[in-house]
Amino acid sequence: MARFESILDSIRKPATLLPLLLLAALALVPFAASLADQPFYVVFFARIMIYAIAASALNVALGLGGLVSLGHALFLGLGAYSVAIPAYHGIDNGWVHLAVCVASCGAVGLLTGAISLRTTGIGFIMITLAFAQMGYFVFVSLKQYGGDDGTPVNATSRFFGYDLGQPATAYAVAFALLCVVLWWTARLRVAPFGMVLRGARQNARRINAVGFRAQRYQLAAYVVSAVLCGLAGMLLANLTAFASPATLSWIVSGDLIVMIVLGGLGTVFGPLLGAVAFMGAEELLKMVTEFWPAVFGLVIFVVALLRTVGLAGLLEKLAPRTPAPPSGPSASPGPAAPGAPAARILGEHA
């Protein structure tokens, strides 16, 4: 009963309630679009959810593990071409596409992550960027598959008779996958694995001193992040029926980082809020002025200058403050339990 009440209290907080209402609104978009006879909204919000999945994937490595990667567009592109290349040869079996996506993103993520994690700071950023650019030029050189112009996806993924090339099907799968990823991220943040990652982000030396191998945890997070980003790329290729080397551009990696920062770095709903804000503002500004990149850049500059904790952090500030417990002899803590130093090191960091 106490746990149920704790869950209800958590849901009542603006930082949780408003994102849940946003998810509920996204669930109703196909019905609203059908009533208004506006299929554009299904495609548009499906793209938002796909990029929210990719941003959530990067958030595992960046927000929890502190790995600033400018190369996650590589995995988004690999996921897209995992559909496009088999489709070029007439293969529309979704399970084949999924297997190629998971295998390629997992293998490339393991290889590039193992090499990149030998460096830190700006070195890590630059080497992940270099890997992404290498992937970009590899796909540009594949003239058989369209080269720089990209290639259409003529045989979209089919699962159990359902075609992901249909916008409504792609929307439903993207929504379900987004919900699963958000739920998994929430569990990961408070799981031992996630706490080690967050501790390594603060001080990897202390994590190693406690007895954990911080680099192994970071590599595992990087690979999982790569696979999830690849799944987003697979959905994107099915939704647009097209795959292009532009998906592997470092600009796309930068967009994902901006979404995470706008939404809230390391938070559960931050990538979703950031994706909605980023792509929604982009679409609105396009209708107002052709110089929308300059206006949007100024908005991002102001957000960075104010050093806010993102939209999720602003929602958290709306929650009513709970009074601090009374101090005094009665409130003094008892003797420290065994393993207390490790608990402090790996303790939850808001």
Side-chain angles (χ1 to χ4, degrees), residues 251 255 258 278 281-302:
I251 297 176
D255 289 345
V258 171
F278 182 93
E282 179 181 340
E283 195 67 26
L284 290 174
L285 289 173
K286 282 180 180 178
M287 295 188 295
V288 175
T289 174
E290 60 179 324
F291 303 106
W292 66 268
V295 179
F296 194 58
L298 182 61
V299 172
I300 296 174
F301 173 75
V302 170

Side-chain angles (χ1 to χ4, degrees), residues 149-238:
D149 295 326
T151 180
V153 179
N154 297 319
T156 48
S157 307
R158 292 181 178 272
F159 295 92
F160 303 112
Y162 292 97
D163 186 3
L164 282 186
Q166 298 296 323
T169 306
Y171 189 97
V173 173
F175 179 77
L177 182 58
L178 175 62
C179 291
V180 170
V181 169
L182 292 176
W183 171 82
W184 176 76
T185 304
R187 297 297 301 269
L188 180 66
R189 289 184 81 250
V190 295
F193 182 86
M195 289 186 176
V196 172
L197 277 179
R198 296 161 71 187
R201 182 188 65 187
Q202 300 296 322
N203 195 320
R205 277 188 176 183
R206 289 189 177 182
I207 295 299
N208 290 328
V210 172
F212 298 101
R213 296 290 297 275
Q215 192 175 94
R216 290 185 180 179
Y217 283 82
Q218 290 174 327
L219 179 59
Y222 189 86
V223 174
V224 171
S225 175
V227 173
L228 288 176
C229 207
L231 293 179
M234 181 179 169
L235 286 172
L236 183 63
N238 279 285

